Amino acid sequence: MKRFWFILLFLFFISIIFAIPLAQYQIPYFNLKEKKSYEYFVQGVLSYNNSNYKISQDFFLKSLNLKPDFYFSRKFLAESYYLAGDIESAIEEYEILKNQYPYDEYINYKIMQLQNLLFIFNNVFIQHQTSSMEYSLWKEIDGNQLNLTSFIPIDITKDHENLYCLTYEPKAIFVFDLQGNLKKIKKNFIIRTIKNPNKIHLRNNLILVSDFYEDKVFVLDKTLSSIIKTIDIPYPTYIVNLNQIYYIWSNKEKLFYKYDKDLNFINKLEIRYKDNLQTKIFSMNSPIISSNDDNIYIVNDNQLYKIDTSGYILEDIEIPFKYIKTFFVDKDQIFISDSNKIYFKSKTHNEWQLFKTTYKIDESKEDHLKNVNFKEIASIYKDKDFFLVTDISGKIFIFIDNENINNNLNVQIMNIESISYPDIAILLKVSDFYNNPIENLSQNNFEIYENNQRVFLINSTNFNKYKNKLNLLILKDLNFKIDEAYRKLFKDRMYEFFHEFDINDNVYFAFSGENIKVVYNGKYDVELFNLIEKNLDLNINKTDIIQNLFQSMNHLISLKGKKGILLLTNSEDAYSSNENLQKLIYYSNIHHIPIYIISFKKNHSLMDLALKTKGSYFNFYENYNFSSIYKALKTHSLGYYLITYKALTPYHKKISNKFIHLRVKINYFEYGGADESGYIIP
């Protein structure tokens, strides 16, 4: 009997010894009935690693049905929901894990990350606005970095892809990407034609540069390769655009020249005010001008005036100091500057505040901040992403919202390989605060930890450098009809488009209906003939285009490589506040699937859909050439990185462990950064 109790006590201690590490890594104990839970889990992970998130969810749910406390099944289920675009369900699963492991830092981090993403989708992605006014220096560009002995920037603007900086010395336009990296310098004969550049304005894919020495405004194409036209205006300075109308200030005549969106002259506009019910011309000396989407704003003689599009002064606003160098107005705030300070105020709050611009001087001490010192401010520019300042002493300052800095990276571990590579290779997808892919992380940005121990990084490379197969799904809406006069031309243009595709690329054809029918055949001409000449007999009078696009995306998500949808439709339906439409846009951005649309009828809501999914809209009567779809797909970034390290090589037999905790840390532009965790399963 004593021997029996001794053996029982010995087994108890052994179980305690092994239970501690198992609890530490949340590896569950499986009884015989629960073995099936682990089998479902492994099947789910295989589908997850192949990006089949919907299928993987079914396996993880089956696994959890047999063993509800299975940590890894719950974690992978949450991640599969997240990658499929269902953030709310992902948060619910992590909340369940938090109840089981309330002090787990990773779980708390993921809940915070997903809640931030949900907030972005509801408040930023849909409404396209932020309210934060705390900025930090993101990048500072000077002549030394550009290998220039003299560098005088005088004005700056941007679009959704690039920054455009006009410089007096050298006489050029510098084009930077949104990470502040120089893409090109244009100082050819076209730029040299501009004698004394003053302001640069970007609108409708046109770049306007005012030249007060030549009394001209030069209109350039966006590539800066040609002068489209010149506009003669006596001493032109400021250029603004409201409701597709250009207002160009003549500092000689003290009035605006008005032009339509095609830059055809409309009339002249003088600034006026009402005095005792009489209209009088308002005298301007050398005003400084800005605008938002609604009104023009002018600083003149130490006073700020709000002016409507008919030229009438609506309001005058006091400013805090006499000498104003430049100012800028956006939807919610007004910014003004003297030579070296910037002040701002909201339109609903009368108190001016000093614009505090700070940067970290010691990365290891996040609270150690120092003010940026401007010397001679030339211009300022602000939008929802950046605050830009040019200083004619020789610098461009790029500031980013602190909220963006704190949440500036989104990292997903897509796959962990242990067979294809001699060392472990991890595939990451890295995107910024707005789910735009990050393309310029260097090897120095990556740190890897195995079970919280830092390990040696062998290599890291942007996965986009490898050739990716293109996957295009062409969806034909039932209402798509081709005018007989254009049938042959349309067919010829589509053949030219298909000719661009490589032999290894995939083109799928689908017909809209209650459920889309997808067919695939390498014989593009046969399928194209069916697509153009026939409609499937689906006995449906009206189809839900948005739902069909969802189904198209679900078909593409599991495929590797770059993806896109081409919708052929003549729909005149209006889509605006439709909840499914907003989900579709978010779904598209999460999975990087742009939507391209070809139509014989204009549809502004579908044009907006194409733009928001980073695709394009083609009105056939205006756009005959579709090859740009292929080019856009070819260059479309996925933000994938492949990184390798030696810690888990099979030669060291460390991979024989069932679960190994992996953490990837990325330091991004010296600010913020992101941690992401994963688990290797042999």
Side-chain angles (χ1 to χ4, degrees):
M1 190 69 179
K2 288 183 179 179
R3 185 178 179 183
F4 170 77
W5 285 109
F6 175 80
I7 293 172
L8 189 62
L9 190 62
F10 174 77
L11 292 174
F12 173 76
F13 280 111
I14 290 296
S15 67
I16 290 295
I17 290 171
F18 282 97
I20 292 172
L22 287 174
Q24 180 181 354
Y25 292 100
Q26 290 115 2
I27 301 176
Y29 169 77
F30 294 93
N31 60 35
L32 291 176
K33 291 182 180 180
E34 294 170 340
K35 292 286 186 182
K36 191 67 177 176
S37 174
Y38 179 75
E39 292 176 9
Y40 283 136
F41 168 65
V42 171
Q43 289 177 283
V45 170
L46 292 174
S47 298
Y48 177 91
N49 285 340
N50 288 322
S51 302
N52 296 319
Y53 304 121
K54 295 291 184 184
I55 297 174
S56 69
Q57 289 165 20
D58 293 337
F59 284 119
F60 294 138
L61 287 169
K62 288 179 180 178
S63 172
L64 290 166
N65 187 46
L66 295 173
K67 188 168 181 59
D69 64 343
F70 193 172
Y71 173 90
F72 292 106
S73 274
R74 187 79 63 189
K75 175 195 177 295
F76 274 92
L77 176 62
E79 286 299 299
S80 64
Y81 279 135
Y82 163 52
L83 294 174
D86 188 352
I87 297 179
E88 292 181 355
S89 296
I91 293 174
E92 289 177 6
E93 297 303 322
Y94 273 117
E95 290 286 359
I96 295 172
L97 284 178
K98 185 177 181 179
N99 291 332
Q100 296 175 356
Y101 308 100
Y103 304 109
D104 189 306
E105 292 183 4
Y106 173 73
I107 294 173
N108 289 316
Y109 159 73
K110 286 300 296 186
I111 290 174
M112 181 185 71
Q113 181 197 48
L114 292 171
Q115 287 174 341
N116 285 340
L117 279 175
L118 193 62
F119 174 82
I120 294 167
F121 175 59
N122 291 331
N123 297 279
V124 178
F125 185 76
I126 294 176
Q127 298 176 15
H128 300 286
Q129 61 182 16
T130 57
S131 58
S132 172
M133 278 306 303
E134 294 294 326
Y135 279 75
S136 290
L137 183 65
W138 195 34
K139 198 151 192 176
E140 181 179 314
I141 302 169
D142 59 28
N144 292 332
Q145 298 175 40
L146 302 171
N147 297 317
L148 296 170
T149 56
S150 180
F151 180 61
I152 305 177
I154 54 176
D155 199 19
I156 195 164
T157 188
K158 71 177 284 290
D159 59 13
H160 64 284
E161 294 179 338
N162 299 310
L163 310 177
Y164 299 83
C165 183
L166 179 67
T167 61
Y168 184 78
E169 180 63 40
K171 193 181 297 179
I173 295 176
F174 288 75
V175 182
F176 303 90
D177 64 22
L178 297 187
Q179 283 76 43
N181 302 305
L182 181 64
K183 292 179 68 174
K184 59 185 175 183
I185 306 173
K186 283 292 183 178
K187 51 181 179 180
N188 53 19
F189 77 96
I190 294 172
I191 306 301
R192 290 196 297 270
T193 305
I194 306 172
K195 301 296 183 184
N196 208 328
N198 183 48
K199 290 292 177 182
I200 185 170
H201 181 86
L202 174 62
R203 190 73 176 234
N204 300 329
N205 289 322
L206 298 175
I207 292 178
L208 281 67
V209 178
S210 60
D211 182 349
F212 57 81
Y213 183 87
E214 287 286 304
D215 291 341
K216 292 182 184 296
V217 172
F218 291 84
V219 182
L220 314 175
D221 70 301
K222 199 173 177 182
T223 64
L224 303 170
S225 58
S226 64
I227 298 176
I228 296 175
K229 66 188 300 185
T230 59
I231 304 172
D232 295 324
I233 296 178
Y235 205 153
T237 51
Y238 294 91
I239 306 166
V240 297
N241 188 296
L242 273 76
N243 302 319
Q244 300 296 315
I245 302 296
Y246 290 94
Y247 297 79
I248 304 175
W249 182 257
S250 167
N251 212 42
K252 182 176 181 180
E253 298 182 8
K254 309 301 182 186
L255 51 76
F256 285 107
Y257 280 64
K258 286 178 61 177
Y259 296 84
D260 64 19
K261 65 177 182 178
D262 298 317
L263 290 167
N264 299 309
F265 177 72
I266 301 174
N267 56 31
K268 296 180 182 181
L269 180 67
E270 294 181 307
I271 309 301
R272 295 167 289 177
Y273 69 101
K274 289 184 179 180
D275 183 19
N276 296 326
L277 301 179
Q278 289 185 331
T279 299
K280 297 183 179 181
I281 304 300
F282 190 75
S283 176
M284 291 282 175
N285 296 321
S286 294
I288 307 168
I289 300 171
S290 183
S291 70
N292 58 12
D293 294 334
D294 303 313
N295 298 102
I296 299 171
Y297 289 78
I298 296 180
V299 169
N300 186 70
D301 290 339
N302 196 35
Q303 195 69 41
L304 175 60
Y305 299 96
K306 178 181 177 181
I307 298 166
D308 66 16
T309 54
S310 61
Y312 280 98
I313 294 177
L314 301 176
E315 181 184 355
D316 58 310
I317 305 166
E318 290 188 4
I319 47 183
F321 46 83
K322 291 184 178 181
Y323 177 67
I324 302 295
K325 186 67 181 292
T326 187
F327 82 109
F328 189 86
V329 181
D330 70 1
K331 185 176 181 180
D332 302 308
Q333 282 124 357
I334 302 170
F335 301 83
I336 61 173
S337 78
D338 59 11
S339 294
N340 55 18
K341 290 185 180 64
I342 299 172
Y343 291 83
F344 73 95
K345 70 182 289 292
S346 68
K347 293 180 182 175
T348 57
H349 194 276
N350 290 325
E351 185 177 349
W352 289 92
Q353 302 176 57
L354 180 65
F355 183 72
K356 295 180 180 179
T357 51
T358 59
Y359 67 95
K360 299 172 186 177
I361 60 174
D362 185 350
E363 190 176 330
S364 64
K365 299 177 182 179
E366 294 191 3
D367 58 343
H368 196 176
L369 304 174
K370 181 181 177 181
N371 286 325
V372 174
N373 293 317
F374 303 116
K375 292 185 178 179
E376 191 66 34
I377 296 172
S379 67
I380 53 181
Y381 176 94
K382 178 188 176 293
D383 63 10
K384 67 182 179 66
D385 297 310
F386 294 105
F387 192 89
L388 309 173
V389 180
T390 60
D391 193 312
I392 60 175
S393 65
K395 288 186 178 180
I396 304 170
F397 297 95
I398 304 175
F399 298 95
I400 190 170
D401 191 311
N402 277 355
E403 187 176 3
N404 289 10
I405 290 174
N406 295 331
N407 303 277
N408 64 352
L409 277 191
N410 176 28
V411 183
Q412 300 170 22
I413 292 183
M414 304 296 293
N415 201 359
I416 301 174
E417 300 283 353
S418 60
I419 300 173
S420 303
Y421 301 90
D423 302 298
I424 301 300
I426 307 160
L427 180 62
L428 298 178
K429 184 162 76 174
V430 186
S431 53
D432 68 10
F433 185 69
Y434 295 101
N435 288 311
N436 298 315
I438 302 295
E439 299 185 58
N440 63 341
L441 292 178
S442 66
Q443 178 171 332
N444 295 332
N445 290 115
F446 290 90
E447 295 178 14
I448 301 180
Y449 297 82
E450 177 205 337
N451 296 335
N452 289 326
Q453 295 293 317
R454 186 172 177 179
V455 296
F456 178 69
L457 174 66
I458 301 173
N459 182 38
S460 64
T461 180
N462 191 335
F463 198 70
N464 288 319
K465 293 180 181 176
Y466 295 90
K467 183 177 180 181
N468 275 332
K469 180 178 287 188
L470 304 183
N471 303 284
L472 180 70
L473 190 147
I474 301 180
L475 174 64
K476 180 187 175 185
D477 186 26
L478 286 181
N479 62 28
F480 184 72
K481 298 290 190 297
I482 304 169
D483 294 0
E484 281 301 323
Y486 291 95
R487 183 178 295 274
K488 184 178 185 307
L489 179 60
F490 177 80
K491 199 169 183 178
D492 290 344
R493 290 297 180 263
M494 289 297 285
Y495 274 125
E496 291 176 13
F497 165 62
F498 283 130
H499 183 70
E500 298 282 349
F501 274 83
D502 293 339
I503 192 66
N504 292 323
D505 292 338
N506 291 331
V507 179
Y508 299 86
F509 297 88
F511 298 87
S512 67
E514 186 174 350
N515 293 294
I516 64 170
K517 179 180 179 181
V518 177
V519 292
Y520 168 70
N521 195 318
K523 300 175 181 178
Y524 299 151
D525 54 345
V526 175
E527 297 299 345
L528 178 62
F529 180 80
N530 290 333
L531 195 71
I532 295 175
E533 302 293 338
K534 297 180 181 178
N535 277 322
L536 294 185
D537 184 16
L538 299 174
N539 297 318
I540 295 175
N541 296 324
K542 190 174 178 63
T543 60
D544 188 338
I545 290 180
I546 303 302
Q547 186 60 38
N548 283 178
L549 289 170
F550 265 120
Q551 293 179 34
S552 301
M553 286 194 185
N554 286 331
H555 180 81
L556 292 173
I557 282 172
S558 62
L559 303 176
K560 292 189 176 182
K562 298 178 181 180
K563 306 152 194 171
I565 296 173
L566 174 58
L567 171 65
L568 304 177
T569 181
N570 293 335
S571 172
E572 297 180 282
D573 293 344
Y575 303 93
S576 56
S577 59
N578 186 314
E579 183 179 348
N580 285 334
L581 176 67
Q582 299 300 333
K583 286 183 179 179
L584 176 68
I585 294 169
Y586 180 66
Y587 208 55
S588 166
N589 281 270
I590 283 290
H591 295 291
H592 302 287
I593 303 178
I595 298 174
Y596 302 89
I597 298 172
I598 296 177
S599 177
F600 281 83
K601 296 181 180 179
K602 278 192 176 180
N603 185 316
H604 291 287
S605 59
L606 289 180
M607 289 174 68
D608 191 49
L609 169 66
L611 178 66
K612 289 179 178 177
T613 59
K614 299 180 174 62
S616 302
Y617 184 92
F618 296 87
N619 176 18
F620 185 77
Y621 296 113
E622 297 175 359
N623 314 99
Y624 288 156
N625 187 3
F626 307 138
S627 60
S628 57
I629 300 174
Y630 175 85
K631 293 174 184 175
L633 274 172
K634 198 79 173 176
T635 57
H636 185 66
S637 175
L638 297 174
Y640 286 170
Y641 288 86
L642 202 63
I643 60 177
T644 56
Y645 64 103
K646 289 183 178 178
L648 297 176
T649 56
Y651 314 116
H652 296 108
K653 298 183 179 179
K654 291 188 178 183
I655 202 165
S656 61
N657 294 334
K658 186 176 292 185
F659 299 100
I660 298 172
H661 181 260
L662 174 73
R663 180 160 59 93
V664 179
K665 182 179 180 182
I666 298 178
N667 300 314
Y668 182 49
F669 292 114
E670 301 179 1
Y671 301 112
D675 291 353
E676 185 59 90
S677 293
Y679 298 86
I680 290 184
I681 301 158

